[in-house]
Amino acid sequence: MSAGNAGHATRFLRSTGQHAAIDPDSFTEGSYVLSIGGAEQSHVNLGHPEEIFYEYLRRIGHLVDLAAPPGEPIRALHLGAGALTLARYIQATRPGSLQYAVELERELLDFVLRQLPLPEGTDLHTITGDARDALDELDPELSFDVIILDIFSGPEAPAHLACAGFYREAREKLGPEGVLVVNVGDEPGLTLVRSQVTAMRQAMADVAAIAEAGMFEGRYPGNIILAGTQVPWPKEWSVELTARGPHPARVLAAVDLDPLAG
């Protein structure tokens, strides 16, 4: 599959006043990079959507791998769409999955879908609007195996999303064994990570954190993935996620996560 525009493409995003751009990745044929306001946001490999370039997204992909038996279709909700890298990954690794994607920027969704078409057969339903509001708009009978929140990108996270109340509402949309995955981009000191561990623990039966091992020292900015389960965290998941990397990987769960809990 080829992109709708093989060269440089831009789109003005009215709600933020920034420009989104999609450019070919000069290092990997068939891959493209989405930037917003000059900052890279997403990477897509159209030829091999099962290959994820960004490390934090690969860690989320590994969590999705563990959420159900290999190759089995799932129901996934993406809160924060970006270039739909994970939606493409799920379709490639779990064909027939039902997916929903919520994005605040209507122009961004339109731009991405036009320039970087989804793989044939992808069953993706898009919703434009606020992530919390979108939960109320979904069919109350619809439940998900995985909900992925990829909105937080610094200490100024939206207060109505970075709270236990929102996580409880998200939990209500999960199936009995569903997993809530939250990407937290944070500064040194990990203030946001700590608050989100505390908030998620109030909403979910168990919580674990996955990241590059050095991130937990709180010395530099980066991404930590939080995973909330409705059953006790499976110890074998910690082993799998550590082994799958990217390396060096570390998983904190149970009492090992306590130092990050507020």
Side-chain angles (χ1 to χ4, degrees):
M1 181 182 296
S2 61
N5 185 333
H8 174 77
T10 62
R11 181 72 177 269
F12 181 69
L13 307 178
R14 286 178 292 180
S15 62
T16 62
Q18 295 181 308
H19 280 87
I22 292 176
D23 294 284
D25 177 1
S26 57
F27 297 101
T28 306
E29 185 177 355
S31 294
Y32 296 83
V33 177
L34 168 68
S35 300
I36 299 177
E40 290 190 10
Q41 299 289 328
S42 302
H43 182 281
V44 171
N45 187 332
L46 290 183
H48 296 279
E50 74 281 2
E51 297 180 1
I52 300 179
F53 181 76
Y54 288 166
E55 289 192 0
Y56 85 90
L57 287 178
R58 283 162 61 191
R59 298 187 199 280
I60 295 178
H62 295 325
L63 274 166
V64 173
D65 293 341
L66 297 175
E72 182 178 291
I74 62 172
R75 291 182 174 181
L77 172 61
H78 306 267
L79 301 175
L84 299 167
T85 302
L86 288 168
R88 301 167 197 274
Y89 177 81
I90 290 173
Q91 173 60 20
T93 58
R94 299 180 176 278
S97 293
L98 173 64
Q99 303 190 69
Y100 285 74
V102 179
E103 173 57 53
L104 191 61
E105 294 268 14
R106 179 182 299 277
E107 290 93 349
L108 180 60
L109 264 177
D110 292 344
F111 180 55
V112 166
L113 291 172
R114 180 181 295 274
Q115 298 296 324
L116 305 174
L118 292 172
E120 186 175 350
T122 303
D123 187 0
L124 179 75
H125 303 257
T126 61
I127 300 173
T128 303
D130 176 79
R132 192 164 185 174
D133 292 341
L135 292 179
D136 289 332
E137 297 175 16
L138 293 168
D139 183 342
E141 300 300 317
L142 184 63
S143 65
F144 295 93
D145 301 293
V146 179
I147 296 178
I148 302 167
L149 177 67
D150 189 7
I151 293 173
F152 303 155
S153 58
E156 284 133 22
H160 71 296
L161 301 180
C163 63
F166 170 70
Y167 292 134
R168 291 190 189 99
E169 292 174 18
R171 181 196 63 203
E172 294 301 315
K173 296 296 183 182
L174 287 169
E177 298 183 0
V179 182
L180 174 62
V181 181
V182 181
N183 171 45
V184 184
D186 207 357
E187 302 295 327
L190 305 180
T191 302
L192 180 59
V193 170
R194 296 175 192 279
S195 69
Q196 296 317 292
V197 169
T198 300
M200 286 185 69
R201 278 184 159 183
Q202 295 175 45
M204 306 298 295
D206 213 345
V207 178
I210 305 99
E212 186 273 325
M215 272 300 301
F216 294 110
E217 297 175 7
R219 297 179 180 176
Y220 47 85
N223 299 80
I224 291 179
I225 308 303
L226 302 181
T229 56
Q230 302 194 80
V231 297
W233 176 256
K235 293 182 179 179
E236 61 272 20
W237 284 19
S238 293
V239 175
E240 279 287 330
L241 292 167
T242 302
R244 294 184 184 201
H247 303 294
R250 189 178 180 192
V251 179
L252 299 182
V255 296
D256 292 335
L257 187 60
D258 288 352
L260 273 184

